[in-house]
Amino acid sequence: KAGVTQTPRYLIKTRGQQVTLSCSPISGHRSVSWYQQTPGQGLQFLFEYFSETQRNKGNFPGRFSGRQFSNSRSEMNVSTLELGDSALYLCASSPGGLAGAHYEQYFGPGTRLTVT
Amino acid sequence: AQKITQTQPGMFVQEKEAVTLDCTYDTSDQSYGLFWYKQPSSGEMIFLIYQGSYDEQNATEGRYSLNFQKARKSANLVISASQLGDSAMYFCAMRVSHAGGTSYGKLTFGQGTILTVHP
């Protein structure tokens, strides 16, 4: 079974631009979560999508948005990029939707975004 | 709110020896899961082991075991017979089950411990 894929792997953008990152979950998984990893703040939860609906959101400004398609692939968008948005963006895939279940999340390789 | 604390910024271990990475957590929820992930320099997060709050036995996965002490709110990772390939960043994480039973995907991570294995 193929793992979680993220594209692109590396990205360099200029301050003020916008960027779209893509995540394809493991086949059959319906939940995709996004995380931002920086040296200063560590790993922080951005949001989670399940069946095309955002069902959980972290404490990030509205410049960070996402969506999920009917095939469970997800995209996240960052508008008006700031220098502080430079980070490794990880997405995680899981079956989702299991009430009270403790299930594993499988992470992709990440997209390393550099804002100059 | 949930919180994960990893107090060891860096740890060193000799190849073939065992090492314990510390993790304490704080939550008022009764139902939760604790996870350990390994992150090599490549950046990918690799799932290692999981422990549920209602599991009575400590979880084990090959050379990894989780020393779960619920009363002390600790979930330490034990790596036996360390290998050079174990050198990486290790993260402890937690997810809670919300009221009503639905378990959302949000993981709360600690700051991580860098493990270096010496030959």
Side-chain angles (χ1 to χ4, degrees):
Chain A
K1 197 181 251 191
V4 181
T5 58
Q6 290 186 246
T7 56
R9 293 292 311 280
Y10 302 91
L11 206 50
I12 299 175
K13 288 287 188 178
T14 303
R15 193 170 45 182
Q17 289 185 316
Q18 75 166 15
V19 66
T20 299
L21 311 182
S22 179
C23 173
S24 293
I26 292 170
S27 177
H29 285 190
R30 296 162 64 193
S31 168
V32 174
S33 300
W34 288 90
Y35 296 83
Q36 181 197 63
Q37 185 177 23
T38 60
Q41 299 297 318
L43 278 151
Q44 296 186 89
F45 173 77
L46 280 156
F47 30 65
E48 181 201 10
Y49 285 87
F50 175 74
S51 291
E52 302 180 63
T53 301
Q54 185 185 90
R55 67 177 182 181
N56 205 353
K57 189 176 187 303
N59 296 325
F60 278 81
R63 299 186 298 106
F64 292 82
S65 63
R67 60 177 176 169
Q68 187 179 35
F69 301 94
S70 58
N71 62 357
S72 294
R73 188 177 71 87
S74 176
E75 289 181 347
M76 68 162 280
N77 184 277
V78 188
S79 63
T80 319
L81 284 166
E82 300 177 359
L83 296 178
D85 296 333
S86 294
L88 179 66
Y89 290 88
L90 293 159
C91 84
S93 157
S94 60
L98 301 174
H102 299 294
Y103 45 84
E104 301 163 14
Q105 280 188 328
Y106 299 91
F107 283 79
T111 294
R112 193 168 295 278
L113 171 66
T114 302
V115 182
T116 62
Chain B
Q2 299 82 44
K3 186 176 180 181
I4 296 284
T5 302
Q6 294 180 253
T7 57
Q8 306 156 314
M11 286 286 285
F12 295 88
V13 66
Q14 208 70 26
E15 193 179 8
K16 299 181 185 177
E17 292 186 348
V19 63
T20 298
L21 305 184
D22 294 341
C23 171
T24 59
Y25 61 92
D26 188 26
T27 181
S28 56
D29 296 272
Q30 297 302 308
S31 180
Y32 51 88
L34 296 155
F35 303 78
W36 277 92
Y37 285 87
K38 171 185 177 182
Q39 187 177 41
S41 56
S42 61
E44 185 171 358
M45 298 285 280
I46 301 168
F47 167 78
L48 296 177
I49 196 166
Y50 159 81
Q51 178 84 41
S53 58
Y54 294 120
D55 295 341
E56 294 186 351
Q57 293 197 330
N58 288 341
T60 59
E61 289 284 351
R63 295 186 299 111
Y64 305 107
S65 61
L66 200 152
N67 184 1
F68 181 48
Q69 298 187 44
K70 195 170 181 178
R72 299 180 59 184
K73 292 192 174 180
S74 74
N76 298 338
L77 176 70
V78 180
I79 305 175
S80 63
S82 296
Q83 302 172 354
L84 296 178
D86 293 336
S87 293
M89 177 77 89
Y90 288 80
F91 289 98
C92 179
M94 174 170 62
R95 179 170 65 233
V96 301
S97 291
H98 295 268
T102 302
S103 182
Y104 296 157
K106 175 184 176 182
L107 284 170
T108 300
F109 286 87
Q111 288 298 104
T113 297
I114 300 176
L115 176 65
T116 304
V117 181
H118 289 303

